Amino acid sequence: MTTLTQLTTSERVARLQTLANDSDTAAKLAVELIQCLTDSDEEVRNWANEALENLESPSVSDLANIAKFVASSDDDAAFWALKLLGRLGEQAQPQEACIAAALKQERAVQVRQNAAWALSKLGSLSDESQKRLQQAAKDSDARLAHLAQQALNQA
Amino acid sequence: MRKSKSDRYRLWFICIISLIQFGCDVSDDLKQIAGGAAPGSTQAQTPDSNGGTAQQPSLQGGAVPPVPTGTATPYSNQTTAQSGGNQQQMPTITIASYNIQVFGTSKVNDRWVLERLATVIRQFDVIAIQEVRAKDQTVMDRFLQLINSDGSQYSYIIGPRLGRTSSKEQYAYVYNTRKILCKKETAYTVDDPSGLLHRSPLVAHFQVLAPNNLPPFTFTLINIHTDPDEIRTELNVLADVYRNVRQYEFPEDDVILLGDLNCGPKDFLALGQIPGVFPLIQNVATNTRQSKLYDNIVVDQYSSQEFTGRSAVWDLRQYFKLTIDDTLRLSDHFPVWAEFSAFEVNPQIPAMATNPGGVTNPGGVSR
């Protein structure tokens, strides 16, 4: 099967538009969709975002590959990787350390927010993750602080 | 109805600031009501009822809403008024909400798609749009150009780009200037300093340009697209937004929240618990695949007595006779709409402006 990156830009937009309306297939292509977020074409990025929004949960078999994007220097890729990990809930537990690492202050605030949100979906958390969340709960960004506190309450 | 400007600044839990980027030329904001087929007409499948030149105000001035599918059970029906013992049709307006999934350069450059979207817009007098998504800020101008290419006179307001990734969305209102006045400078985005909402709603106030003698229907719209991942938080916050906007807009009593809520009325949480809040779309799917109820028009049933009892989802697949794949080229949502009287019902306070005799006068409206 042709991967999204092998298509021309217009073909890619058309394919992503189809995937945005076919969440089952999109769920199986979550990694490719995240890759499209760094595409140079705005429409490709927009439709990749839409497909990611509409797919419910990615395949658990993609867990490790999705987690690799958490460390990406592209904030959108990291944002969506964390969102998808959070959607996997307790199944994303093996990637807890990776998610918690995204709480560090050097990361963009929306990435940190999604890290806190994803941690709130994992269930029980390690002491290290809770320590990072306690720091984040004191952050000046109200949304991050709220999400971090929420994660602590649910841990 | 609306309060004076001097009363407008208050602090609440969620305070509100003006953040609007203004759309196109508004010199035609005040126009006469164009004639149209009467509400309830069996000719409702005729697409365009708003085109042509402006005419003298007429009691037949209602746009023809599209084919209703799955009409919600209304709390009242006031489509008619008694006059000298004869039942006479009252003029009405239609208000709609439409999520045009990733409305950006691909769709604007696709003539097939854009022509059908323009046809949809022309069916309504005010349309709240979600998901305008493009850095190119000429997208709505190009869309409006096509909408008006048949002689229609629509204008629009667009909000700021919102979202937590670089793929940001804008809300817009498109409205028929022959029938509706919108003071664009009074529109605002709800300020949400705690970031509780992914995309803060765009609020705007409208007034029907009704013939003289009777006070025109005025109303405030709250345009929202919720984040499905945070639906519970957002619906509870939206309850605060609704209450706060209603307080802020007082004495305007017709505050209508509409948009893509990503859930049905059963899941409205705090929003659904506000006394009098009534979702006009119930028990019917609003997405193109006809599997989910996402979109709605929420009114206060005690104050919005202007609702005529007609509201529905417009099945574009059926209307345009399309395959499911081609319908999805337009959007993954169908528009939802509701019909309201062009006049205030039981008005207590004079409207902010009137349009006696349908005189064109854009005073006070700025670009």
Side-chain angles (χ1 to χ4, degrees), chain A residues 13 17 20-21 42-43 45-47 49-50 53-54 76 79-80 83 87 110 117 142-143, chain B residues 101-102 104-107 131 133-135 164-167 194-195 227 229-230 289 328-329 332:
Chain A
V13 170
Q17 192 165 357
N21 294 312
E42 187 198 9
E43 281 289 290
R45 295 194 304 272
N46 282 343
W47 281 103
N49 258 276
E50 178 72 1
E53 277 169 22
N54 290 349
D76 286 355
F79 176 99
W80 273 108
K83 183 73 104 174
R87 286 183 188 171
Q110 67 271 26
W117 176 82
R143 177 174 156 77
Chain B
Q101 190 186 28
V102 192
T105 50
S106 293
K107 286 193 174 175
E131 280 205 40
R133 266 204 237 189
K135 282 183 182 164
R164 295 177 183 140
T165 67
S166 59
S167 179
S194 299
D227 181 339
D229 282 314
E230 301 186 31
R289 291 198 186 276
L328 286 166
R329 287 173 64 191
D332 58 344

mmCIF file of all heavy atoms in Angstrom, chain A residues 13 17 20-21 42-43 45-47 49-50 53-54 76 79-80 83 87 110 117 142-143, chain B residues 101-102 104-107 131 133-135 164-167 194-195 227 229-230 289 328-329 332:
data_model
loop_
_atom_site.group_PDB
_atom_site.id
_atom_site.type_symbol
_atom_site.label_atom_id
_atom_site.label_comp_id
_atom_site.label_asym_id
_atom_site.label_seq_id
_atom_site.Cartn_x
_atom_site.Cartn_y
_atom_site.Cartn_z
ATOM 1 N N VAL A 13 -3.577 15.361 0.090
ATOM 2 C CA VAL A 13 -4.733 16.082 0.644
ATOM 3 C C VAL A 13 -6.001 15.249 0.441
ATOM 4 O O VAL A 13 -6.809 15.077 1.369
ATOM 5 C CB VAL A 13 -4.882 17.482 0.006
ATOM 6 C CG1 VAL A 13 -6.219 18.123 0.404
ATOM 7 C CG2 VAL A 13 -3.730 18.386 0.417
ATOM 8 N N GLN A 17 -8.280 13.652 3.316
ATOM 9 C CA GLN A 17 -9.695 14.033 3.416
ATOM 10 C C GLN A 17 -10.550 12.763 3.580
ATOM 11 O O GLN A 17 -11.489 12.729 4.365
ATOM 12 C CB GLN A 17 -10.117 14.818 2.177
ATOM 13 C CG GLN A 17 -11.466 15.493 2.331
ATOM 14 C CD GLN A 17 -11.725 16.542 1.263
ATOM 15 O OE1 GLN A 17 -10.868 16.812 0.420
ATOM 16 N NE2 GLN A 17 -12.896 17.126 1.294
ATOM 17 N N ALA A 20 -10.009 11.420 7.047
ATOM 18 C CA ALA A 20 -10.690 12.230 8.067
ATOM 19 C C ALA A 20 -12.140 11.778 8.237
ATOM 20 O O ALA A 20 -12.750 12.023 9.281
ATOM 21 C CB ALA A 20 -10.639 13.707 7.688
ATOM 22 N N ASN A 21 -12.667 11.140 7.205
ATOM 23 C CA ASN A 21 -14.047 10.663 7.268
ATOM 24 C C ASN A 21 -14.137 9.143 7.379
ATOM 25 O O ASN A 21 -15.177 8.555 7.137
ATOM 26 C CB ASN A 21 -14.808 11.150 6.032
ATOM 27 C CG ASN A 21 -14.936 12.657 6.034
ATOM 28 O OD1 ASN A 21 -15.308 13.236 7.048
ATOM 29 N ND2 ASN A 21 -14.613 13.297 4.922
ATOM 30 N N GLU A 42 0.126 23.478 3.957
ATOM 31 C CA GLU A 42 -0.823 23.753 5.044
ATOM 32 C C GLU A 42 -2.062 22.851 4.979
ATOM 33 O O GLU A 42 -2.560 22.389 6.008
ATOM 34 C CB GLU A 42 -1.263 25.224 5.008
ATOM 35 C CG GLU A 42 -2.113 25.608 6.203
ATOM 36 C CD GLU A 42 -2.923 26.875 6.010
ATOM 37 O OE1 GLU A 42 -2.974 27.398 4.884
ATOM 38 O OE2 GLU A 42 -3.529 27.325 6.984
ATOM 39 N N GLU A 43 -2.566 22.611 3.775
ATOM 40 C CA GLU A 43 -3.771 21.782 3.658
ATOM 41 C C GLU A 43 -3.497 20.347 4.102
ATOM 42 O O GLU A 43 -4.364 19.712 4.697
ATOM 43 C CB GLU A 43 -4.293 21.795 2.216
ATOM 44 C CG GLU A 43 -5.075 23.038 1.881
ATOM 45 C CD GLU A 43 -6.450 23.088 2.569
ATOM 46 O OE1 GLU A 43 -7.327 22.304 2.191
ATOM 47 O OE2 GLU A 43 -6.629 23.920 3.463
ATOM 48 N N ARG A 45 -1.352 19.518 6.400
ATOM 49 C CA ARG A 45 -1.318 19.567 7.868
ATOM 50 C C ARG A 45 -2.732 19.677 8.450
ATOM 51 O O ARG A 45 -3.065 19.020 9.429
ATOM 52 C CB ARG A 45 -0.448 20.745 8.332
ATOM 53 C CG ARG A 45 1.028 20.614 7.952
ATOM 54 C CD ARG A 45 1.883 21.609 8.724
ATOM 55 N NE ARG A 45 1.451 22.987 8.565
ATOM 56 C CZ ARG A 45 1.848 23.811 7.597
ATOM 57 N NH1 ARG A 45 2.701 23.383 6.689
ATOM 58 N NH2 ARG A 45 1.425 25.065 7.548
ATOM 59 N N ASN A 46 -3.549 20.535 7.835
ATOM 60 C CA ASN A 46 -4.913 20.720 8.345
ATOM 61 C C ASN A 46 -5.732 19.432 8.276
ATOM 62 O O ASN A 46 -6.434 19.084 9.216
ATOM 63 C CB ASN A 46 -5.639 21.814 7.545
ATOM 64 C CG ASN A 46 -5.208 23.205 7.960
ATOM 65 O OD1 ASN A 46 -4.616 23.391 9.028
ATOM 66 N ND2 ASN A 46 -5.486 24.186 7.129
ATOM 67 N N TRP A 47 -5.625 18.736 7.148
ATOM 68 C CA TRP A 47 -6.413 17.501 7.013
ATOM 69 C C TRP A 47 -5.847 16.376 7.870
ATOM 70 O O TRP A 47 -6.595 15.515 8.342
ATOM 71 C CB TRP A 47 -6.535 17.094 5.545
ATOM 72 C CG TRP A 47 -7.589 17.897 4.843
ATOM 73 C CD1 TRP A 47 -7.401 18.947 3.995
ATOM 74 C CD2 TRP A 47 -9.010 17.742 4.987
ATOM 75 N NE1 TRP A 47 -8.617 19.455 3.595
ATOM 76 C CE2 TRP A 47 -9.624 18.737 4.179
ATOM 77 C CE3 TRP A 47 -9.828 16.884 5.703
ATOM 78 C CZ2 TRP A 47 -11.006 18.877 4.076
ATOM 79 C CZ3 TRP A 47 -11.210 17.016 5.606
ATOM 80 C CH2 TRP A 47 -11.780 18.008 4.799
ATOM 81 N N ASN A 49 -4.519 16.936 10.801
ATOM 82 C CA ASN A 49 -5.106 17.298 12.097
ATOM 83 C C ASN A 49 -6.535 16.795 12.212
ATOM 84 O O ASN A 49 -6.934 16.244 13.237
ATOM 85 C CB ASN A 49 -5.126 18.827 12.252
ATOM 86 C CG ASN A 49 -4.006 19.329 13.142
ATOM 87 O OD1 ASN A 49 -4.128 19.332 14.360
ATOM 88 N ND2 ASN A 49 -2.914 19.741 12.523
ATOM 89 N N GLU A 50 -7.295 17.013 11.156
ATOM 90 C CA GLU A 50 -8.706 16.610 11.167
ATOM 91 C C GLU A 50 -8.837 15.092 11.303
ATOM 92 O O GLU A 50 -9.672 14.597 12.061
ATOM 93 C CB GLU A 50 -9.382 17.103 9.878
ATOM 94 C CG GLU A 50 -10.837 16.718 9.723
ATOM 95 C CD GLU A 50 -11.783 17.471 10.660
ATOM 96 O OE1 GLU A 50 -11.313 18.326 11.433
ATOM 97 O OE2 GLU A 50 -12.987 17.187 10.602
ATOM 98 N N GLU A 53 -8.054 14.187 14.799
ATOM 99 C CA GLU A 53 -9.154 14.548 15.695
ATOM 100 C C GLU A 53 -10.268 13.509 15.638
ATOM 101 O O GLU A 53 -10.869 13.176 16.641
ATOM 102 C CB GLU A 53 -9.716 15.927 15.312
ATOM 103 C CG GLU A 53 -8.936 17.087 15.893
ATOM 104 C CD GLU A 53 -9.335 18.428 15.286
ATOM 105 O OE1 GLU A 53 -10.454 18.540 14.755
ATOM 106 O OE2 GLU A 53 -8.503 19.342 15.349
ATOM 107 N N ASN A 54 -10.542 13.037 14.442
ATOM 108 C CA ASN A 54 -11.705 12.158 14.258
ATOM 109 C C ASN A 54 -11.459 10.685 14.588
ATOM 110 O O ASN A 54 -12.410 9.969 14.887
ATOM 111 C CB ASN A 54 -12.216 12.270 12.814
ATOM 112 C CG ASN A 54 -12.853 13.626 12.554
ATOM 113 O OD1 ASN A 54 -13.095 14.396 13.481
ATOM 114 N ND2 ASN A 54 -13.122 13.924 11.294
ATOM 115 N N ASP A 76 3.437 20.305 17.128
ATOM 116 C CA ASP A 76 2.174 19.664 16.728
ATOM 117 C C ASP A 76 2.296 18.145 16.785
ATOM 118 O O ASP A 76 1.371 17.449 17.222
ATOM 119 C CB ASP A 76 1.761 20.086 15.308
ATOM 120 C CG ASP A 76 1.228 21.510 15.262
ATOM 121 O OD1 ASP A 76 1.099 22.122 16.345
ATOM 122 O OD2 ASP A 76 0.954 21.997 14.156
ATOM 123 N N PHE A 79 2.287 17.207 20.365
ATOM 124 C CA PHE A 79 0.928 17.435 20.877
ATOM 125 C C PHE A 79 0.032 16.245 20.542
ATOM 126 O O PHE A 79 -0.657 15.694 21.397
ATOM 127 C CB PHE A 79 0.381 18.718 20.247
ATOM 128 C CG PHE A 79 -1.047 19.057 20.595
ATOM 129 C CD1 PHE A 79 -1.332 19.987 21.591
ATOM 130 C CD2 PHE A 79 -2.119 18.469 19.919
ATOM 131 C CE1 PHE A 79 -2.642 20.316 21.911
ATOM 132 C CE2 PHE A 79 -3.433 18.790 20.228
ATOM 133 C CZ PHE A 79 -3.692 19.719 21.232
ATOM 134 N N TRP A 80 0.060 15.834 19.270
ATOM 135 C CA TRP A 80 -0.844 14.769 18.840
ATOM 136 C C TRP A 80 -0.407 13.391 19.339
ATOM 137 O O TRP A 80 -1.241 12.533 19.622
ATOM 138 C CB TRP A 80 -1.020 14.779 17.322
ATOM 139 C CG TRP A 80 -2.116 15.719 16.959
ATOM 140 C CD1 TRP A 80 -2.002 16.937 16.355
ATOM 141 C CD2 TRP A 80 -3.505 15.534 17.250
ATOM 142 N NE1 TRP A 80 -3.245 17.527 16.248
ATOM 143 C CE2 TRP A 80 -4.181 16.689 16.786
ATOM 144 C CE3 TRP A 80 -4.245 14.536 17.852
ATOM 145 C CZ2 TRP A 80 -5.561 16.854 16.907
ATOM 146 C CZ3 TRP A 80 -5.622 14.689 17.976
ATOM 147 C CH2 TRP A 80 -6.263 15.839 17.498
ATOM 148 N N LYS A 83 -1.757 13.255 22.730
ATOM 149 C CA LYS A 83 -3.220 13.127 22.672
ATOM 150 C C LYS A 83 -3.613 11.670 22.390
ATOM 151 O O LYS A 83 -4.504 11.115 23.034
ATOM 152 C CB LYS A 83 -3.750 14.072 21.588
ATOM 153 C CG LYS A 83 -5.235 14.120 21.457
ATOM 154 C CD LYS A 83 -5.890 14.859 22.588
ATOM 155 C CE LYS A 83 -6.344 16.238 22.191
ATOM 156 N NZ LYS A 83 -7.107 16.897 23.269
ATOM 157 N N ARG A 87 -5.586 8.929 24.679
ATOM 158 C CA ARG A 87 -6.801 8.229 24.229
ATOM 159 C C ARG A 87 -6.700 6.714 24.442
ATOM 160 O O ARG A 87 -7.704 6.033 24.562
ATOM 161 C CB ARG A 87 -7.061 8.517 22.748
ATOM 162 C CG ARG A 87 -7.595 9.919 22.496
ATOM 163 C CD ARG A 87 -7.884 10.083 21.018
ATOM 164 N NE ARG A 87 -8.209 11.458 20.678
ATOM 165 C CZ ARG A 87 -8.325 11.898 19.430
ATOM 166 N NH1 ARG A 87 -8.144 11.077 18.418
ATOM 167 N NH2 ARG A 87 -8.621 13.163 19.195
ATOM 168 N N GLN A 110 1.441 23.918 25.288
ATOM 169 C CA GLN A 110 0.363 23.021 24.846
ATOM 170 C C GLN A 110 0.814 21.559 24.870
ATOM 171 O O GLN A 110 -0.002 20.656 25.054
ATOM 172 C CB GLN A 110 -0.182 23.424 23.460
ATOM 173 C CG GLN A 110 0.758 23.271 22.298
ATOM 174 C CD GLN A 110 1.609 24.504 22.065
ATOM 175 O OE1 GLN A 110 1.859 25.282 22.985
ATOM 176 N NE2 GLN A 110 2.048 24.692 20.829
ATOM 177 N N TRP A 117 -2.600 15.907 30.662
ATOM 178 C CA TRP A 117 -3.894 15.292 30.320
ATOM 179 C C TRP A 117 -3.718 13.786 30.085
ATOM 180 O O TRP A 117 -4.507 12.978 30.572
ATOM 181 C CB TRP A 117 -4.457 15.982 29.068
ATOM 182 C CG TRP A 117 -5.727 15.378 28.566
ATOM 183 C CD1 TRP A 117 -6.996 15.622 29.025
ATOM 184 C CD2 TRP A 117 -5.865 14.423 27.500
ATOM 185 N NE1 TRP A 117 -7.903 14.871 28.308
ATOM 186 C CE2 TRP A 117 -7.247 14.131 27.375
ATOM 187 C CE3 TRP A 117 -4.965 13.784 26.640
ATOM 188 C CZ2 TRP A 117 -7.737 13.232 26.420
ATOM 189 C CZ3 TRP A 117 -5.457 12.883 25.699
ATOM 190 C CH2 TRP A 117 -6.824 12.622 25.597
ATOM 191 N N ALA A 142 -2.672 28.493 33.773
ATOM 192 C CA ALA A 142 -3.818 27.980 34.535
ATOM 193 C C ALA A 142 -4.296 26.628 34.025
ATOM 194 O O ALA A 142 -4.647 25.746 34.810
ATOM 195 C CB ALA A 142 -4.955 28.991 34.486
ATOM 196 N N ARG A 143 -4.277 26.461 32.729
ATOM 197 C CA ARG A 143 -4.774 25.193 32.165
ATOM 198 C C ARG A 143 -3.835 24.036 32.517
ATOM 199 O O ARG A 143 -4.288 22.961 32.898
ATOM 200 C CB ARG A 143 -4.913 25.334 30.649
ATOM 201 C CG ARG A 143 -5.356 24.078 29.955
ATOM 202 C CD ARG A 143 -5.608 24.306 28.471
ATOM 203 N NE ARG A 143 -5.480 23.062 27.749
ATOM 204 C CZ ARG A 143 -6.399 22.096 27.733
ATOM 205 N NH1 ARG A 143 -7.515 22.255 28.392
ATOM 206 N NH2 ARG A 143 -6.197 20.983 27.065
ATOM 207 N N GLN B 101 -16.349 21.347 7.803
ATOM 208 C CA GLN B 101 -15.097 20.584 7.970
ATOM 209 C C GLN B 101 -13.891 21.093 7.159
ATOM 210 O O GLN B 101 -13.854 20.999 5.928
ATOM 211 C CB GLN B 101 -15.363 19.130 7.568
ATOM 212 C CG GLN B 101 -14.231 18.185 7.919
ATOM 213 C CD GLN B 101 -14.472 16.794 7.388
ATOM 214 O OE1 GLN B 101 -15.149 16.600 6.376
ATOM 215 N NE2 GLN B 101 -13.923 15.806 8.055
ATOM 216 N N VAL B 102 -12.910 21.614 7.862
ATOM 217 C CA VAL B 102 -11.663 22.121 7.261
ATOM 218 C C VAL B 102 -11.978 22.998 6.036
ATOM 219 O O VAL B 102 -11.582 22.686 4.902
ATOM 220 C CB VAL B 102 -10.691 20.980 6.888
ATOM 221 C CG1 VAL B 102 -9.303 21.531 6.546
ATOM 222 C CG2 VAL B 102 -10.549 19.969 8.022
ATOM 223 N N GLY B 104 -10.952 25.463 3.972
ATOM 224 C CA GLY B 104 -9.705 26.153 3.666
ATOM 225 C C GLY B 104 -9.501 26.250 2.172
ATOM 226 O O GLY B 104 -10.458 26.196 1.389
ATOM 227 N N THR B 105 -8.253 26.333 1.769
ATOM 228 C CA THR B 105 -7.958 26.598 0.365
ATOM 229 C C THR B 105 -8.393 25.455 -0.567
ATOM 230 O O THR B 105 -8.810 25.705 -1.692
ATOM 231 C CB THR B 105 -6.455 26.874 0.170
ATOM 232 O OG1 THR B 105 -5.721 25.833 0.802
ATOM 233 C CG2 THR B 105 -6.049 28.196 0.778
ATOM 234 N N SER B 106 -8.327 24.217 -0.099
ATOM 235 C CA SER B 106 -8.750 23.105 -0.972
ATOM 236 C C SER B 106 -10.213 23.250 -1.351
ATOM 237 O O SER B 106 -10.584 23.089 -2.528
ATOM 238 C CB SER B 106 -8.581 21.758 -0.269
ATOM 239 O OG SER B 106 -7.248 21.475 -0.068
ATOM 240 N N LYS B 107 -11.047 23.557 -0.395
ATOM 241 C CA LYS B 107 -12.482 23.661 -0.680
ATOM 242 C C LYS B 107 -12.804 24.916 -1.484
ATOM 243 O O LYS B 107 -13.662 24.895 -2.371
ATOM 244 C CB LYS B 107 -13.284 23.626 0.626
ATOM 245 C CG LYS B 107 -13.320 22.232 1.229
ATOM 246 C CD LYS B 107 -14.339 22.052 2.323
ATOM 247 C CE LYS B 107 -14.357 20.576 2.733
ATOM 248 N NZ LYS B 107 -15.240 20.299 3.873
ATOM 249 N N GLU B 131 -15.146 25.815 11.760
ATOM 250 C CA GLU B 131 -14.019 25.183 11.050
ATOM 251 C C GLU B 131 -13.567 25.905 9.782
ATOM 252 O O GLU B 131 -13.254 25.266 8.778
ATOM 253 C CB GLU B 131 -14.303 23.708 10.737
ATOM 254 C CG GLU B 131 -14.079 22.797 11.929
ATOM 255 C CD GLU B 131 -13.748 21.355 11.569
ATOM 256 O OE1 GLU B 131 -12.995 21.128 10.604
ATOM 257 O OE2 GLU B 131 -14.243 20.458 12.273
ATOM 258 N N ARG B 133 -10.562 27.055 8.265
ATOM 259 C CA ARG B 133 -9.190 26.685 8.621
ATOM 260 C C ARG B 133 -8.235 27.041 7.497
ATOM 261 O O ARG B 133 -8.017 26.249 6.572
ATOM 262 C CB ARG B 133 -9.090 25.174 8.865
ATOM 263 C CG ARG B 133 -9.238 24.774 10.310
ATOM 264 C CD ARG B 133 -8.576 23.449 10.565
ATOM 265 N NE ARG B 133 -9.538 22.508 11.108
ATOM 266 C CZ ARG B 133 -9.196 21.312 11.600
ATOM 267 N NH1 ARG B 133 -7.948 20.915 11.587
ATOM 268 N NH2 ARG B 133 -10.103 20.504 12.064
ATOM 269 N N ALA B 134 -7.664 28.222 7.580
ATOM 270 C CA ALA B 134 -6.656 28.630 6.591
ATOM 271 C C ALA B 134 -5.920 29.851 7.097
ATOM 272 O O ALA B 134 -6.524 30.759 7.675
ATOM 273 C CB ALA B 134 -7.322 28.956 5.258
ATOM 274 N N LYS B 135 -4.609 29.838 6.853
ATOM 275 C CA LYS B 135 -3.843 31.056 7.161
ATOM 276 C C LYS B 135 -4.240 32.164 6.196
ATOM 277 O O LYS B 135 -4.220 33.333 6.525
ATOM 278 C CB LYS B 135 -2.344 30.767 7.047
ATOM 279 C CG LYS B 135 -1.786 30.030 8.250
ATOM 280 C CD LYS B 135 -0.281 29.840 8.115
ATOM 281 C CE LYS B 135 0.245 29.045 9.304
ATOM 282 N NZ LYS B 135 1.580 28.514 9.061
ATOM 283 N N ARG B 164 -5.034 24.917 19.695
ATOM 284 C CA ARG B 164 -3.809 24.641 20.445
ATOM 285 C C ARG B 164 -2.693 24.092 19.581
ATOM 286 O O ARG B 164 -1.600 23.857 20.068
ATOM 287 C CB ARG B 164 -4.134 23.667 21.592
ATOM 288 C CG ARG B 164 -5.076 24.301 22.606
ATOM 289 C CD ARG B 164 -5.481 23.352 23.712
ATOM 290 N NE ARG B 164 -6.430 24.019 24.589
ATOM 291 C CZ ARG B 164 -7.506 23.446 25.119
ATOM 292 N NH1 ARG B 164 -7.759 22.180 24.873
ATOM 293 N NH2 ARG B 164 -8.318 24.124 25.895
ATOM 294 N N THR B 165 -3.003 23.837 18.312
ATOM 295 C CA THR B 165 -1.940 23.441 17.390
ATOM 296 C C THR B 165 -1.845 24.526 16.318
ATOM 297 O O THR B 165 -2.595 25.503 16.342
ATOM 298 C CB THR B 165 -2.256 22.093 16.698
ATOM 299 O OG1 THR B 165 -3.387 22.277 15.845
ATOM 300 C CG2 THR B 165 -2.535 20.998 17.705
ATOM 301 N N SER B 166 -0.952 24.321 15.366
ATOM 302 C CA SER B 166 -0.815 25.336 14.309
ATOM 303 C C SER B 166 -1.993 25.275 13.334
ATOM 304 O O SER B 166 -2.188 26.188 12.540
ATOM 305 C CB SER B 166 0.514 25.158 13.570
ATOM 306 O OG SER B 166 0.553 23.865 13.003
ATOM 307 N N SER B 167 -2.774 24.208 13.386
ATOM 308 C CA SER B 167 -3.962 24.104 12.540
ATOM 309 C C SER B 167 -5.137 24.755 13.277
ATOM 310 O O SER B 167 -5.873 24.093 14.004
ATOM 311 C CB SER B 167 -4.271 22.629 12.249
ATOM 312 O OG SER B 167 -5.425 22.508 11.450
ATOM 313 N N SER B 194 -8.342 30.871 31.590
ATOM 314 C CA SER B 194 -7.875 29.586 32.117
ATOM 315 C C SER B 194 -7.789 28.511 31.044
ATOM 316 O O SER B 194 -7.440 27.362 31.343
ATOM 317 C CB SER B 194 -8.824 29.104 33.228
ATOM 318 O OG SER B 194 -8.827 30.038 34.280
ATOM 319 N N GLY B 195 -8.120 28.869 29.823
ATOM 320 C CA GLY B 195 -8.009 27.909 28.725
ATOM 321 C C GLY B 195 -8.914 26.707 28.878
ATOM 322 O O GLY B 195 -8.566 25.591 28.492
ATOM 323 N N ASP B 227 -14.395 20.537 21.835
ATOM 324 C CA ASP B 227 -13.327 19.547 21.632
ATOM 325 C C ASP B 227 -13.836 18.206 22.164
ATOM 326 O O ASP B 227 -14.103 18.078 23.361
ATOM 327 C CB ASP B 227 -12.083 19.997 22.412
ATOM 328 C CG ASP B 227 -10.908 19.050 22.233
ATOM 329 O OD1 ASP B 227 -11.123 17.877 21.853
ATOM 330 O OD2 ASP B 227 -9.767 19.478 22.479
ATOM 331 N N ASP B 229 -12.414 15.554 22.926
ATOM 332 C CA ASP B 229 -11.597 14.947 23.977
ATOM 333 C C ASP B 229 -11.871 15.568 25.347
ATOM 334 O O ASP B 229 -11.450 15.023 26.363
ATOM 335 C CB ASP B 229 -10.101 15.096 23.647
ATOM 336 C CG ASP B 229 -9.658 14.086 22.600
ATOM 337 O OD1 ASP B 229 -10.011 12.903 22.737
ATOM 338 O OD2 ASP B 229 -8.987 14.493 21.637
ATOM 339 N N GLU B 230 -12.478 16.730 25.369
ATOM 340 C CA GLU B 230 -12.701 17.406 26.650
ATOM 341 C C GLU B 230 -14.151 17.846 26.786
ATOM 342 O O GLU B 230 -14.456 18.907 27.326
ATOM 343 C CB GLU B 230 -11.738 18.591 26.760
ATOM 344 C CG GLU B 230 -10.312 18.094 26.669
ATOM 345 C CD GLU B 230 -9.270 19.158 26.916
ATOM 346 O OE1 GLU B 230 -9.553 20.080 27.689
ATOM 347 O OE2 GLU B 230 -8.198 19.043 26.324
ATOM 348 N N ARG B 289 -22.768 10.970 7.775
ATOM 349 C CA ARG B 289 -22.968 9.515 7.790
ATOM 350 C C ARG B 289 -24.246 9.115 8.530
ATOM 351 O O ARG B 289 -24.582 7.941 8.618
ATOM 352 C CB ARG B 289 -21.764 8.815 8.415
ATOM 353 C CG ARG B 289 -20.502 8.911 7.548
ATOM 354 C CD ARG B 289 -19.485 7.868 7.967
ATOM 355 N NE ARG B 289 -18.233 8.025 7.250
ATOM 356 C CZ ARG B 289 -17.997 7.525 6.032
ATOM 357 N NH1 ARG B 289 -18.944 6.870 5.398
ATOM 358 N NH2 ARG B 289 -16.814 7.700 5.449
ATOM 359 N N LEU B 328 -19.535 13.891 1.419
ATOM 360 C CA LEU B 328 -18.434 14.137 2.359
ATOM 361 C C LEU B 328 -17.423 15.135 1.820
ATOM 362 O O LEU B 328 -16.650 15.708 2.579
ATOM 363 C CB LEU B 328 -17.754 12.809 2.709
ATOM 364 C CG LEU B 328 -18.546 11.904 3.658
ATOM 365 C CD1 LEU B 328 -17.969 10.488 3.679
ATOM 366 C CD2 LEU B 328 -18.575 12.477 5.079
ATOM 367 N N ARG B 329 -17.418 15.361 0.521
ATOM 368 C CA ARG B 329 -16.541 16.413 -0.020
ATOM 369 C C ARG B 329 -16.996 17.785 0.469
ATOM 370 O O ARG B 329 -16.201 18.721 0.559
ATOM 371 C CB ARG B 329 -16.548 16.390 -1.557
ATOM 372 C CG ARG B 329 -15.785 15.216 -2.150
ATOM 373 C CD ARG B 329 -15.970 15.136 -3.648
ATOM 374 N NE ARG B 329 -15.425 16.293 -4.351
ATOM 375 C CZ ARG B 329 -15.640 16.559 -5.637
ATOM 376 N NH1 ARG B 329 -16.389 15.735 -6.353
ATOM 377 N NH2 ARG B 329 -15.114 17.627 -6.210
ATOM 378 N N ASP B 332 -18.397 16.713 6.782
ATOM 379 C CA ASP B 332 -18.881 15.532 7.506
ATOM 380 C C ASP B 332 -20.094 15.879 8.372
ATOM 381 O O ASP B 332 -20.576 15.043 9.117
ATOM 382 C CB ASP B 332 -17.760 14.898 8.347
ATOM 383 C CG ASP B 332 -17.150 15.850 9.352
ATOM 384 O OD1 ASP B 332 -17.355 17.074 9.230
ATOM 385 O OD2 ASP B 332 -16.453 15.377 10.277
#
